[in-house]
Amino acid sequence: MSAVSTQPRRVQLPEPVARRPRKRWTRFVLPTYVMAFIVYLSFPIFIIILFSFNQTRGGFGTSPRVKTTWLGFTTEWYGRLFELPDLTASLRHSLTIGLLSALAATALGTLLGLALARYRFRGRGGTDFLIFLSIASPEIVLGAALASFFVALGVTRGLSTLFLSHTMFSIAFVAVTVRARAAGLDRSLEAAAMDLGARPVTAFFKVTLPLLFPGILAGFLLAFALSMDDFVISQFTQGPATMFPTWVFGSTRVGIPPHVFVFATIIFLTGAALAMVLALTQRRRT
Amino acid sequence: MERPVQPDLHLVAPERRPRRSTAPYVLAAPALIWLLVLFVIPMIAMASLSLQEGTSLEGFRQTFRFANFTDAIADNGAFLVRSLRNGVIVTVAALLIAYPVAYWIAFYGGRFKSVFLFLLLLPFFISFVIRTVAWSFILSDDGIVLGTLKSIGLLPESYHVLGTTFAVVAGITYNLVPFTILPLYVSLEQVDRSLVEAAKDLYSNRAQAFLKVVFPLSLPGVFAAVLLTSIPAIGDYVNAAVLGNFAPGTSMIGNVIQAEFLRNRDYPEGAALAFVLMAVMVVGAVIYARVLGTERITEG
Amino acid sequence: MSDKRVPFGDPAWIRGMTRRRISRRELFRYAGAGAGALGLSSMLAAGGVGCEEQATGPTPGGEGSADWWAQQQAGDHINFTNWPAYIDRDFSIDGPGSRPSLNEFIQETGIDVTYRADINSNEEFYAAIRPALEAGQDTGHDIIVITNGQELTEMIQLGYLIELDPTRRPNFDANVGPAFKDPVYDPGNKYTMAWQSGMTGIAYNTKFVDEEITTLEQMLNPKYAGHVGMFNNTADAQNLTMMELGINPETSTPDDWQQAADFLQRFNDSGVLRGWFDQAYLTAIENEDLWITMAWSGDIINDKLYFPEYATFEFTALDTGAIVWVDNCCIPNEAANPVGAMMLMDWYYDPVYAAMLTRWNAYVSPVPAGGELVQAAAEAAKGAEKEQLETIATSPFVFPTPELEEKLYNYRVLEGDEIEQWNDLFNPIFIS
């Protein structure tokens, strides 16, 4: 076969396959599936919201329990929301620890994420591995380790041990978030600021930090959500003071009070509203 | 006259700069110290605990009893195997459920991609304990699902879903599916649509375009999804406790570890078992990365 | 399980999240470093967890001694932590008034009481407070109620309970029944005062069960598959099974235990078992998840009498008898208000309040005079209330008849190595 041809060969292309007109119904398979999936995902939420309006009779425990069958519509539980002091206290603990640990984790994790994104330093590989381990460790292992640690030291278990533990497991998540954001930043903006006479520190605060802010905020929200949601580690490191998920888990023995579902509904609606607000502001920004 | 060469900062990667400042250490130190004190040292404390002997009554003494590990595996090997099995089932199920959703949102989501992702993450606003409890409600013997079916007569009166492996696996899958979708979505979203167009131009139908172009390009996401799903699935114990109720055959290794610490007070055995679990996870993750090529996992 | 909330609008985060950045080489390098750190471990936890010497009582002037008690003042708040369904209730009232006997204490003494029905199992509760006790810190509870058994014995032996002041319990001294004074597990009532006593037997829901269930063997019937429950604590199932097999649990040998373990394993293998339960069995039988279950006497009688939807419940002993146990009030170390605790514990030895308890929770009262008040009230009552009180007054499980007493046995008391032997044999059955 000649290596070079001097005139274009006529290539015989196969006849184009006539596109079959797409049957109407196949177009709807995937979207229907996705809708069904979203329904499946949200189904327990609807149940919780629904059963927060369910009537119930008193149980043998210290408070009325939600029944698994529908007994009738009532809004009385919304009025009696703070009736159970332990439940209210556990929610307060959860919110407090959530906020404090998220703040601490965000502060620490942001610095760590920056360091990882910007610099090559000795021990960087080890730090990476530490972060990987921290994220990938099963919570039961973390909880058991923290329990062993606090017992060996004889430290009082309580809100302080909870704060320390929650901050610990959130740091890595914040660091990864901020690192991703920092890695995508345009360094030239910072350099431009310095070219215009800013000192590195000023450039950092006036240019880098605002650019990083979405990542930092995302990390903060992530840390807060992780802390609010945490059950396993809290069960191992809490003392007399309980957190909301552990209180709920304990209450499953004697039956869940309807107040739990009311709180869950309120938290859910608040979170959803916040997320929507966030979404709208983000849309406008980008 | 020489023109000063302006370095093009777009091209100079940070690591080329000969910076030897203390900045990274200062930045990283606080977080690293926190992690050292509250992650590394507790792990060491647990390692120490796992080598001790004794009872809650008589106290525990450090005897460097490595047999604790072999004992723990011998006594509880079945739970480890069961947890791994459940982890595989959950991961496969989650992938099968999640992939079409991720695909659809990435390719056909259009302007509403964010909306759909938001809807996906909606359940996370309620603590996962409460979500699991909600499932125990939904699946209870005379709850809204089974109760209705029983009153119609489609199911025998004595039928139950709670207390079976199916309930536990279904619960774990439900809780983890959003973790599966996200990495899949990310990698699918990055697939260059023009490649799909090119495939169609080369006379492939939609199925072939998917199998030969889209799916292989999404594999990094699949690998990440597998990791993100299987690790929490294997170590889970809440679903087994709430939905399985310690029915024979439903408990997982997490339940055993929790029971050793918070019921039997056999701390060395619990610690040894926790380490075995951790070792299995880390070794598994490393082997997984090696088999599939570390490059795919460490893509930067 | 980790739970990550993703800021859905930021793909950079998601990308970063799904990248892994270790290589094999780095992994092995750091594994090696970790092994060296194990040397640190021996320094860190050299003492080990739980190195306690056996307690021999309070040190002179220490917590629990007479001098120490003399210096204590009553505080203004008591944390009373108990089992569910154990205190009289009046559901028509909200708040503290809903527990009449407790409310009268609050009114009379002015001391506020936080009552928590948080104890669902001795093992779990003890494991939860043990770290604080070991570290010598306040557990957050002033009165706790623990059943006689491994956990109570361990707490006494490790010195985790405050020795009670014999001068602060006049009602107890005057009214306690002989069976509850100076018990085997706490000679001289140094640490405990009985709350109520009860029996472990079988409960079943006649809505689903046609026959009378009086043996554990009947529970293994496949037609009850998925609706049978058993206890998973350190004492009930084991001892009751030995009774089923005709063995006296109090004098049982390790061979007997093995027989009981084999029998219990049949529940795991047969597929009839819905689960292994603690206090949660009551919720399960009320939800109709369980049709037959091991149960505690008063729980079932209380449900049957006072809740119409549970009128179909029945409680029976085995053909061979039943197990009897005692739940005991005690004060953990470093309690904030030990004086108040003793006042409250002694309050319930007044026959009036003891009667109020038994009327509701249908358990055996440690105060014979209180029991007599219940029987008197049964005679004097009219109408529906009379029926309820009559049922309690004539129930052999609340006022044991001589016939039943012959067939009532205590838990096997375990000592030394037996504890580990027993637990290693039975614990694997409960999580399988």
Side-chain angles (χ1 to χ4, degrees), chain C residues 17-68:
Chain C
M17 194 52 237
T18 56
R19 296 323 199 234
R20 294 280 179 260
R21 289 178 191 266
I22 44 140
S23 72
R24 272 171 289 143
R25 196 183 316 138
E26 282 160 343
L27 174 64
F28 295 138
R29 193 191 325 153
Y30 291 104
L38 267 180
L40 179 61
S41 72
S42 51
M43 288 193 317
L44 255 184
V49 171
C51 285
E52 290 284 344
E53 288 125 25
Q54 307 238 333
T56 51
T59 53
E63 209 177 27
S65 67
D67 295 333
W68 178 86

Side-chain angles (χ1 to χ4, degrees), chain A residues 60-63 65 250-256, chain C residues 84 117 120 279-280 283 286:
Chain A
F60 69 86
T62 52
S63 62
R65 310 174 275 145
S251 76
T252 58
R253 304 303 175 78
V254 297
I256 307 172
Chain C
N120 289 302
Q279 177 71 63
T283 316
E286 290 177 0

